[in-house]
Amino acid sequence: ILKPVAEGYQKLPGPVQTGTHNFFSNLDDVVVVVNDALQLKVDQFSSDVLRVSVNTVFGAFGLIDMGTPMGLPKHYESFADTLGYWGVGSGPYVVLPFLGPSSVRDAPSLVVDFLLHPVGQVSPGSAALGLTSARAVDTRSELLKTTDIRDDLALDPYIFTRESYYQWRQNRIYDGEPPRVIIEDFEE
């Protein structure tokens, strides 16, 4: 449903798209900070608090990413990552309407992340819905190239998406260094 809207969004001037993306990325960093703390990532927590502060104050409420050039890299953490960090298994793969790939562990985590996200605190509800919709279009536009590649190359798009999702999540949980999986030889 969002694909045609995202394709139209990509026709907007680059600075509009960049500013919109940076704004929502800055708001997302609030969720990242909470999950840094829950995962006991002290250094990353400090960096992310400083990043949110710098981008909010000096980057016009996050429209301009001032943190990255200052050596404050963007991190990605969610409550699903936190649960994985503490050893909660992913469970079966599920595809959520409008939200896409997930798992039994990750799907309920979306509720926690939404409650932590500043957009969820906006009142009236119509303003929150408008911001959530804009954020969804921005996110979907970021995924257009990925889904186009999947559609062009995958023999089975469902399996490709499922396996990619599990690898992506494991990479996030282990900060880019997932444990090596050793497959035992088996006899027939």
Side-chain angles (χ1 to χ4, degrees):
I1 292 174
L2 285 177
K3 185 176 181 178
V5 178
E7 290 170 339
Y9 171 79
Q10 285 193 329
K11 294 178 183 172
L12 292 173
V16 172
Q17 292 179 57
T18 301
T20 303
H21 182 75
N22 288 345
F23 176 76
F24 287 115
S25 179
N26 190 51
L27 293 178
D28 293 345
D29 284 345
V30 173
V31 176
V32 171
V33 165
V34 171
N35 285 290
D36 286 343
L38 292 173
Q39 294 176 43
L40 309 176
K41 295 180 177 180
V42 178
D43 292 339
Q44 187 170 304
F45 172 83
S46 301
S47 172
D48 290 337
V49 167
L50 189 54
R51 179 182 172 84
V52 170
S53 302
V54 165
N55 283 342
T56 302
V57 174
F58 300 110
F61 298 101
L63 293 173
I64 302 166
D65 179 6
M66 302 294 288
T68 300
M70 293 177 63
L72 301 168
K74 171 78 176 157
H75 294 110
Y76 301 90
E77 300 291 348
S78 67
F79 194 65
D81 298 325
T82 298
L83 291 175
Y85 174 85
W86 289 106
V88 176
S90 65
Y93 176 75
V94 295
V95 178
L96 301 172
F98 301 107
L99 300 176
S102 193
S103 70
V104 171
R105 173 195 60 213
D106 297 357
S109 300
L110 293 171
V111 175
V112 174
D113 288 338
F114 178 77
L115 294 173
L116 291 173
H117 201 281
V119 168
Q121 309 305 317
V122 172
S123 184
S126 58
L129 180 60
L131 287 169
T132 301
S133 299
R135 181 175 171 228
V137 170
D138 178 65
T139 301
R140 182 61 179 102
S141 75
E142 294 286 315
L143 295 172
L144 284 174
K145 288 181 185 172
T146 304
T147 55
D148 288 346
I149 290 170
R150 179 205 58 200
D151 294 344
D152 289 343
L153 299 178
L155 297 175
D156 185 330
Y158 177 83
I159 292 173
F160 182 88
T161 303
R162 181 188 67 204
E163 296 307 312
S164 297
Y165 178 78
Y166 276 134
Q167 288 177 23
W168 171 80
R169 177 58 71 197
Q170 186 161 2
N171 191 55
R172 290 261 309 254
I173 290 168
Y174 291 100
D175 295 326
E177 297 179 22
R180 296 186 84 185
V181 176
I182 299 172
I183 301 174
E184 301 281 331
D185 289 325
F186 62 92
E187 297 180 25
E188 292 185 36

